[in-house]
Structures are given as structure tokens and as C-alpha cells.
Amino acid sequence: MEERILESFARQGLMRHLGARITHVGAGTVHIRLDAREELTQQHGYFHAGATSAIADSAGGYAALTVFPAGSEVLTVEYKMNLLAPADGQFLEAVGTVLRSGRTLTVCRLDVFAERGERRTLVAAGQQTLIRIDPR
């Protein structure tokens, strides 16, 4: 399962462009880390909400893929993010967690944390619906 997730992630141009990487794969959960770089910030120096949301979307999508049968694929149907605090840290960690996986639709929780030294702050939280695409 982990190999399938990592191979799929490696094909994502946006994640490669952002410099994101998967740091944990487990049944129903995936963590993605994004290190701070000037290119990822908004005008106040915090991580841009687009980068924050992008890694959350991918973490949830791959969390869902961990519970799908081999050969299946996943597409996001919708997601909503609440930005709770400025994303100020040395890196962000997005955690996607499957809440319920059905035959067709899966719902995931999305949490994004900013880390600076010993401080870990929840900066965004959301929910996502995904659809399983079975091989033909």
C-alpha cells in the first residue's frame, strides 16, 4: 500500500513544485510536510492559503487511497478549509484522516499544523469528500 501511495504522489507535479513530501502512510491516514520557503508565502510572510490547502487536499486524497482496493484511483469531489491561525512556522504538516469510507464516496478530516521549534499550532481544519474510481 505504501509503495502505491508513494509512486502516485511522485507523479503529482504540483506537490513536486511546492516541495511537499509524504512523511507517514498508514491505513486511513497520510501526513505531508511542506518546508518554509519564500516562494510559498503571502504578503505578510505566512504560508499562503493555497499551499496550505493543496497539501491538505493531497493528504486526504492519499489517506482515502490507503483504504481503497489495489488498482483504484481517487478524485476529490469537494473540500472545505477553515483557516484558524496564521500559518507561521518552519514547516507545515497536513494530516489526512479517513472518517468514513463507503463503496463510492469517502469522507476525510483535514488538519494542517505549523511547527516552529517545540510549538505546534493547528492553522487549518477541513473536511473532504472523495470518489473512488475503479479500474475498467
Side-chain angles (χ1 to χ4, degrees):
M1 167 192 63
E2 183 173 356
E3 183 178 324
R4 176 171 59 123
I5 300 302
L6 294 174
E7 285 175 4
S8 176
F9 187 79
R11 293 191 306 269
Q12 283 208 1
L14 179 62
M15 291 297 106
R16 189 170 47 254
H17 177 72
L18 293 175
R21 65 185 191 277
I22 290 180
T23 58
H24 172 79
V25 176
T29 184
V30 166
H31 298 197
I32 295 177
R33 179 177 166 145
L34 183 62
D35 291 328
R37 295 191 339 263
E38 185 179 345
E39 298 84 0
L40 301 175
T41 63
Q42 43 83 296
Q43 70 276 17
H44 302 292
Y46 304 125
F47 278 94
H48 192 282
T52 303
S53 298
I55 63 170
D57 175 44
S58 285
Y62 284 111
L65 194 58
T66 68
V67 300
F68 291 173
S72 296
E73 291 293 338
V74 62
L75 288 173
T76 300
V77 174
E78 65 83 31
Y79 73 100
K80 178 196 187 308
M81 295 299 299
N82 285 40
L83 304 171
L84 306 173
D88 182 25
Q90 295 163 311
F91 66 91
L92 296 181
E93 181 183 48
V95 178
T97 307
V98 173
L99 296 176
R100 182 181 187 285
S101 185
R103 187 178 39 206
T104 304
L105 297 178
T106 295
V107 176
C108 291
R109 182 178 67 238
L110 311 173
D111 294 311
V112 182
F113 299 89
E115 297 205 18
R116 181 174 299 283
E118 297 294 315
R119 191 181 81 226
R120 180 173 168 95
T121 304
L122 180 65
V123 296
Q127 185 169 295
Q128 173 186 49
T129 305
L130 306 118
I131 188 166
R132 186 175 84 196
I133 307 294
D134 291 320
R136 296 186 185 264

